[in-house]
Structures are given as structure tokens and as C-alpha cells.
Amino acid sequence: MMNWDDMRVFLAVARAESLSAAAPLLKMDPATVGRRITRLEETVGAPLFVKSPQGYALTEQGLRMRDHAAQAEAALSLAMDEGQAVDKGLSGQVRIGAPDGCANFLLPQVCAAIQAENPGLEVQILALPRVVNLSKREADMAITVSPPDAGRLTVQKISDYRLHLAMRQDSSLPTTMADLYGVPVVGYIPDMIFDKELDYLGTLSRDGVQMASNSVAVQLQMLRHGGVGIVHDFALPCAPELTRVLMNELSLLRSFYLVRHLSDRKSDRLNRFAEALLAGMRAEIARLEAQAA
């Protein structure tokens, strides 16, 4: 006879596609996860995964079971939400996936404020140099710089944000774009740009990017040692030695979007968290951009 704990293990492996990746999420060792999957397959009487050196891929039986298990998971989550009275605050775990610029310079303070008002809440911030996969439940919700155009998802615009060229204040500051000739350019590793909205160096990188990283936070640290690059205005208060340059020649406007599972739209707990997150991010972007002005 199967129980929910068996389904929890099965879903984790189905989403992570490997025992080693699923194990930390389950707080088990990979060998234990493997034994649990073997036991589940024996109970079902059919293989649920095709095992290979590349990982665990679902069989047709496994795909059918995954869909039913995901529906049961959503129903269980809603049932748990019913037990959380509004006046008792939020509790449980919420994981947010976000690009690292947002994860480094906005989410820590915003989420800390939400958690302080809800002591029973555990907030996890997943910073990845790629789009977070919600269908595999890598996170409960994700912040993106482009709205997705596929999948069973809901999308809300959070806020616009601005970016400008920045350099050290004690360097030779340019008065025209031509003055940047020969100045090392800091930016993304070109073949690791995972969203077209992040490909914003344009002609500035015509001679290549001399200092590159897939992390916005690392790029900011690089700029502290020299060069020129495009920086989020909301990140500049964290680097007072940098200043914006050539603002009339280059000023970018981008947007953040909150993306959620369509199946979570009835979750009062996640809806309330999303409302607090939206309000907190809008206020924090406005506050930090005002400091950079």
C-alpha cells in the first residue's frame, strides 16, 4: 500500500531527475532514496523510471503517476492552507527562484521583512543564472525578466527597474561614448546569457567583454576594480565607489515578473505571500533607485 511519503519521494526524483539531486530536498542520502524508489516500483508492479548514467527518466507509467501525484500534492497544499487562519500569519516553507541581481540586492531585505511579520514562515531564495523550472517544482514561484509564453503559469508584472553604465568615481570619467574606447568592459559571459533582456551591452561589447561573469554580483565586484559596465540602479547603493556615467547616451528600462504555478492560484497562503512580495519589491526598488539618483 502506498502512502503520501512514498509519493513525496517519487515526485522529488521525478523533478530532479537523479537520486543525488533529490536527496538534499528530501533530507535523505541517495542510497535511501534509491531504496524507496525500488520499494515503490515493487508495490506498483512496474518500473517508474529508466535508469541511466545521465539520471532517472520517467517511464510512461511514471509519467501517469507523476500527474496524479502532482494533483494530490496540490490538493494537500490547499488543505493545509485551510488550516492557516489569516490572523495567525503565514507559516510553512516558500521557495522563490530569481535571477541573481534580484536575489542579491532586493529579495534578502524584502523577504526578511515578510518573515519578521510571520515568524512561522521559512523563506528560501534560489539564485540561479538561468530560468527556474517551475514545472519541476524547483520553486513555489519565480521572478523573471521576461514573461513566459508557455506552460500552465500565472504571470504578474512586479515593477520596472533601470540600468545605466557605471564606473569607479575616481577613474577618468567619459563625456562621450567614444571616450570608452580602450576601457575594459564588464558584463555577462556572452554564451551564458539565458534571457534576451539581459543581452544589453550592444555596441559597447563590439570588441569583446574583457571581464565577464554569469553573476551580476560578481560583475559589480569586478567594476570596483575598474572598467565600465551596465549596473542595476538598485544595486548602486551597495557600491558607493561607483557612479553612473553617460546617462543621456544609455539608459535601459527592464521589468520583473512574478511567475507562479496555475494550480496554486487557489492557495490563500501563497496568494498572501505573493501580495506581500509584490508590495515589498515595488517599495524597495523605488527606495534604492532614489538613493542612486
Side-chain angles (χ1 to χ4, degrees), residues 28-45:
M28 301 177 180
D29 61 82
T32 300
V33 177
R35 287 193 295 271
R36 294 286 295 273
I37 292 298
T38 298
R39 187 178 73 184
L40 180 59
E41 289 180 325
E42 291 172 352
T43 301
V44 173

Side-chain angles (χ1 to χ4, degrees), residues 96-108 125-133 139 141-146 158 161 163 188 192-195 197-198 200 214-219 232 234-235 254-259 277 281 285:
I96 313 162
D100 79 315
C102 176
N104 274 282
F105 303 109
L106 294 173
L107 284 182
I125 300 171
L126 181 64
L128 291 176
R130 60 173 173 80
V131 176
V132 173
N133 192 326
M141 53 188 71
I143 294 171
T144 67
V145 292
S146 289
I158 301 173
Y161 62 94
L163 307 97
Y188 280 101
M192 297 188 73
I193 296 174
F194 62 91
D195 190 296
E197 294 297 327
L198 303 178
Y200 39 54
N214 63 344
S215 164
V216 169
V218 174
Q219 291 174 28
H232 303 74
F234 61 69
R254 295 292 187 269
S255 304
F256 284 130
Y257 298 88
L258 182 64
V259 184
L277 183 68
M281 283 195 61
I285 290 171

Side-chain angles (χ1 to χ4, degrees), residues 18 24 28 31 38 43 46 98 122 136 138 140 155 159 167 170 200 234 252 275 278 281:
S18 77
M28 301 177 180
T38 298
T43 301
E122 177 188 342
K136 292 185 178 180
E138 286 187 331
D140 296 295
V155 182
S159 174
M167 301 176 67
D170 59 4
Y200 39 54
F234 61 69
L252 301 177
E275 288 175 8
L278 287 166
M281 283 195 61

